Amino acid sequence: QVQLVESGGGLVQAGGSLRLSCAASGRTFSSYRMGWFRQPPGKEREFVAGISRSGSSTYYADSVKGRFTISRDNVKNTVYLQMNSLKPEDTAVYYCGASTGGSYYYTDSYTYWGQGAQVTVSS
């Protein structure tokens, strides 16, 4: 069992930055692939970024590539999402997920989810 808790969301102006954190319970954090997804108002949850167990491989949605960076600290049991050059269309609830395998890009690959963090970008 893994419990995930996101933090760091908030309101920011377009062009600004935020860093989301996702803290995991348990001693097996390094055995999970991790991902960030987001759900804009009225839309389905969509892939944002993924990171391998060691952190050596990362994956991004085209819409955030070059602006967002995913990273992890397996000592602190935490995964991060650094978001720069934010746009109003980045407004969404952001979720972190833990996966034991499968595609990084699909929600079905993730077994555990956090409660979500609201990110609002004003124009």
Side-chain angles (χ1 to χ4, degrees):
Q1 188 85 8
V2 175
Q3 291 187 324
L4 303 173
V5 179
E6 297 101 336
S7 61
L11 173 64
V12 64
Q13 288 189 332
S17 298
L18 281 175
R19 188 176 82 155
L20 300 180
S21 299
C22 173
S25 66
R27 293 175 287 180
T28 60
F29 176 72
S30 61
S31 68
Y32 291 92
R33 296 174 167 184
M34 299 298 296
W36 284 98
F37 284 69
R38 67 187 181 187
Q39 189 162 13
K43 297 184 178 180
E44 293 187 353
R45 195 171 297 191
E46 62 185 23
F47 172 78
V48 174
I51 190 166
S52 62
R53 295 174 180 87
S54 67
S56 60
S57 298
T58 57
Y59 308 87
Y60 296 95
D62 288 344
S63 59
V64 307
K65 205 170 291 184
R67 300 188 297 123
F68 291 11
T69 302
I70 188 172
S71 61
R72 67 188 296 163
D73 185 330
N74 285 343
V75 173
K76 295 183 178 179
N77 285 3
T78 302
V79 62
Y80 304 96
L81 185 68
Q82 177 66 44
M83 304 183 293
N84 298 330
S85 303
L86 282 161
K87 304 175 181 180
E89 52 263 44
D90 294 319
T91 294
V93 178
Y94 283 71
Y95 298 90
C96 66
S99 169
T100 57
S103 171
Y104 284 94
Y105 298 89
Y106 299 119
T107 56
D108 288 350
S109 298
Y110 294 80
T111 307
Y112 303 104
W113 294 95
Q115 83 287 354
Q118 177 69 49
V119 172
T120 303
V121 184
S122 63
S123 57

